[in-house]
Amino acid sequence: MKAHTLRALLDGRYICPVAFKREYEFLIESGNEQVADKWLGEIDMRLARLGTDGAFFMAQKIPSAADTARIRDDFQRYRDVYGPAHRMMQIIRSGKDEFTLTPGEYIQLAELNQAINESPTLESQLRGLQTVIHDGGAKYTNRELLKRLLEHLRNDGYLVLVNVNTEMYQTTGKVDQLKSVLTFLAENTDIVGGVPEEDTAADVSLFDAEEPIGD
């Protein structure tokens, strides 16, 4: 399990009890967190965590000037890096009242599709994302487009498919990272450029984002 866990960290995965249950359980066992951190230290990396009980991930031990510049560029390219996930999560939030962008929440395609079909506003918002969703397009039905939206988020690590037959998805610990980014952007609009007005603090509050960026 140690090898699987370290490999997942090296691959940039967010180790949480939803997406990587066994690896997460390994890391929270006494001493294993320190073992992983020491091993990563050999390659100038470290074991980081979202909050005190969130997902584990690999981070730079001492960010270089190049790393800092890259992160800044990512923020400045908001629409490409974080915008699509944010906008897709907004669709889910609008169609599912109890959705708060918290790890472990369930999302069923059929339930979400019904909400979209019953709301012309939500349908219009969904259609507005058809060029953002991977393999999306105007030719697809609402259900087909929603399926692609959920699969897009799954491929990005924000969701896992927990039941193929019922098409039930579950949010992973990586959603905390998205909330952290949104909070950071809302609090640092003076140093981070290129963030669309509709995606600033007003929309961050939609998910009650409170977690700080970092570990």
Side-chain angles (χ1 to χ4, degrees), residues 9 12 15-16 21 30 35 58 90 92 95 118 129-130 165 167 172 187 189 196 203 213:
L9 289 167
I15 310 301
C16 72
K21 182 179 179 179
S30 178
V35 169
M58 180 182 67
Q90 284 180 302
I92 297 173
E118 293 175 352
L129 291 177
Q130 61 191 23
N165 295 327
E167 296 178 298
T172 72
E187 295 174 350
T189 54
D203 283 338
I213 253 186

Side-chain angles (χ1 to χ4, degrees), residues 190-210:
D190 57 328
I191 63 172
V192 179
V195 182
E197 181 179 351
E198 66 271 21
D199 288 335
T200 52
D203 283 338
V204 174
S205 65
L206 183 67
F207 299 127
D208 296 323
E210 297 176 352

